[in-house]
């Protein structure tokens, strides 16, 4: 057992202190010490991206960072996306466009797309697929995830948004 | 998933990092982006007793043009390479290569210096650096030395880096305007290491090859320079016949290992095909 270290960082805007062994991975700290269990673990080879969080303006796989490296960092997890009970455009987009099924990859997908849309507010389909390539999904086949990100991009640009799902679109029309 | 325990150090200056490296000797490893080292530690392939994190050394970051060279700090990330306007305009081969490395998250963390120092034949920068005629600055208690990329890679996970040395900077001669380039990489999927890949830089003059550099990824113990293939092209027109001969000579130096990406015959054939494609693309991009 090596000496434990106190690490201070900002988690979803809140000052957070944790005491960890140097070997502790950020994903374990977030899940087990901070009880932010949205970020998930889908592999041990840094491929799947289920653990993706936003870290000082970067999308990082928190399974491949040590918590001690987070000293002074600003970390945003999926739990920090919604504001005042309102879903973020991406969360709404994933819901409206059926961009999730089991939901295991979704927190990482959302956090990656969050950074992608800040860097490129109007990505093409090809750009979405390329810049989301660090996130694996077993359920959706990605097609609806692309649509979900496009939905969120439109909403964040202030454009009108409408689900592309035929049944849901009809239901929305009936309600009017 | 769980690494062995270790002590963690965060030096605030390069001399401090070098002192820590000397103090802890063979039990110490430098932590850069951490996207090769931590995965090996999580599988207990690597069990260092001390990690020296270079993440706070801002002097190891940045991309500058100095005296006809591009100088890149070893801790510059792949993502920073991709979005560098200097590289996009003056050294697009490095951007094209970096875009084919791993995935966005990994590219926010993984560094140019780490990719090179790791010495993995699967990594892309070793061949790119050979094609770009780069040199590496190695710092230690004894000062600095500068070694060329061609010759730096001596075996799988083995480089000219000596104990106590840190790769601090990568120096690339500014490619002459009109230099053609290509990094052709065959891979099973995004984020995978190459089954085979070829990096090419090419200058044409009066219808003939003025200069060419060809380097191969993941088809030998190290990245390798295809010097015979280069020699066969110099002074000749670049056409189907000369490209085929260069590909044949490149294939003749391949010695890939068999693994899930294929057997040696397949990988060698693909190295030839990547060489053909890289030469053809570089030719199309070169000034004539």
């Amino acid at each position: 057992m090596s000496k434990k270290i106190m690490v201070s960082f900002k988690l979803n805007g809140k000052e957070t202190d944790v005491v960890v062994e140097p070997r502790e991975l950020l994903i374990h700290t977030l899940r087990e010490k901070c009880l932010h269990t949205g970020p998930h673990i889908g592999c041990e080879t840094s491929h799947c991206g289920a653990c993706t969080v936003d870290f000082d303006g970067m999308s990082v796989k928190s399974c491949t960072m040590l918590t001690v490296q987070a000293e002074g960092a600003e970390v945003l997890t999926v739990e920090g996306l919604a504001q005042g009970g309102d879903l973020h455009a991406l969360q709404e987009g994933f819901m409206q466009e059926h961009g999730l099924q089991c939901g295991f990859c979704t927190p990482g997908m959302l956090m990656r797309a969050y950074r992608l849309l800040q860097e490129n507010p109007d990505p093409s389909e090809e750009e979405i697929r390329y810049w989301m390539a660090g996130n694996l999904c077993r359920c959706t086949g990605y097609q609806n995830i692309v649509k979900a990100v496009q939905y969120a991009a439109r909403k964040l640009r202030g454009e009108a948004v409408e689900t592309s799902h035929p049944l849901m679109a009809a239901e929305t029309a009936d309600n009017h | 998933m769980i690494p062995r325990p270790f002590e963690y150090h965060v030096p605030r200056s390069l001399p401090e990092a070098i002192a820590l490296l000397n103090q802890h000797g063979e039990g110490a490893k430098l932590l850069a982006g951490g996207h090769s080292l931590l995965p090996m530690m999580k599988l207990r392939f690597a069990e260092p007793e001390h990690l020296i994190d270079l993440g706070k050394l801002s002097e190891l970051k940045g991309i500058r043009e100095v005296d006809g060279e591009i100088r890149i700090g070893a801790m510059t990330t792949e993502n920073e390479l991709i979005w560098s306007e200097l590289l996009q305009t003056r050294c697009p081969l490095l951007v094209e290569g970096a875009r084919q490395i791993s995935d966005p998250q990994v590219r926010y963390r993984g560094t140019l210096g780490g990719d090179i120092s790791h010495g993995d034949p699967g990594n892309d920068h070793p061949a790119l650096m050979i094609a770009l005629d780069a040199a590496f600055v190695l710092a230690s208690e004894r000062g600095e030395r500068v070694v060329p990329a061609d010759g730096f890679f001596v075996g799988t996970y083995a480089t000219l880096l000596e104990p106590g040395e840190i790769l601090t900077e990568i120096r690339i001669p500014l490619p002459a305007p009109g230099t053609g380039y290509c990094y052709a990489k065959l891979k099973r999927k995004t984020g995978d290491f190459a089954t085979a890949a070829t990096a090419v830089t090419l200058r044409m003059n009066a219808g003939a090859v003025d200069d060419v550099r060809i380097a191969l990824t993941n088809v030998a113990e190290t990245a390798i320079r295809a010097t015979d293939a280069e020699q066969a092209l110099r002074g000749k027109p670049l056409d189907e016949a000369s490209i085929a001969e260069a590909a044949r000579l490149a294939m003749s130096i391949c010695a890939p290992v068999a693994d899930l990406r294929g057997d040696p015959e397949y990988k060698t054939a693909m190295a030839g095909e990547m060489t053909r494609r890289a030469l053809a693309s570089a030719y199309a991009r070169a000034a004539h």
Side-chain angles (χ1 to χ4, degrees), chain A residues 23 61 63 119 130 135, chain B residues 1 3 42 99 103 105 108:
Chain A
R23 67 164 167 171
K61 295 180 176 179
C63 76
E119 294 180 348
Y130 177 78
N135 295 77
Chain B
M1 188 73 180
K42 287 163 66 178
R99 283 183 61 103
D103 63 48
Q105 285 95 319
Y108 280 108

Side-chain angles (χ1 to χ4, degrees), chain B residues 1-41:
Chain B
M1 188 73 180
I2 311 296
R4 278 224 190 272
F6 54 83
E7 298 290 337
Y8 175 75
H9 309 269
V10 202
R12 301 286 161 164
S13 70
L14 184 60
E16 196 189 335
I18 290 169
L20 280 165
L21 195 52
N22 284 312
Q23 187 187 333
H24 296 295
E26 287 197 353
K29 277 277 183 194
L30 299 171
L31 176 64
H35 277 57
S36 300
L37 179 56
L38 293 179
M40 290 179 112
M41 290 170 62

Side-chain angles (χ1 to χ4, degrees), chain A residues 1 13 18 20 24-26 30 46 55 64 83 93 100 106-108 133 147 150 152-154 161-163 172:
Chain A
M1 177 84 71
V18 291
V20 295
E24 185 163 313
L25 301 172
L26 181 59
L30 293 174
S46 312
F55 184 106
T64 314
Q83 296 294 322
L100 70 151
T106 314
K147 289 181 184 171
Q150 288 171 325
R154 282 196 297 276
V161 283
E162 192 180 329
T163 174
T172 312

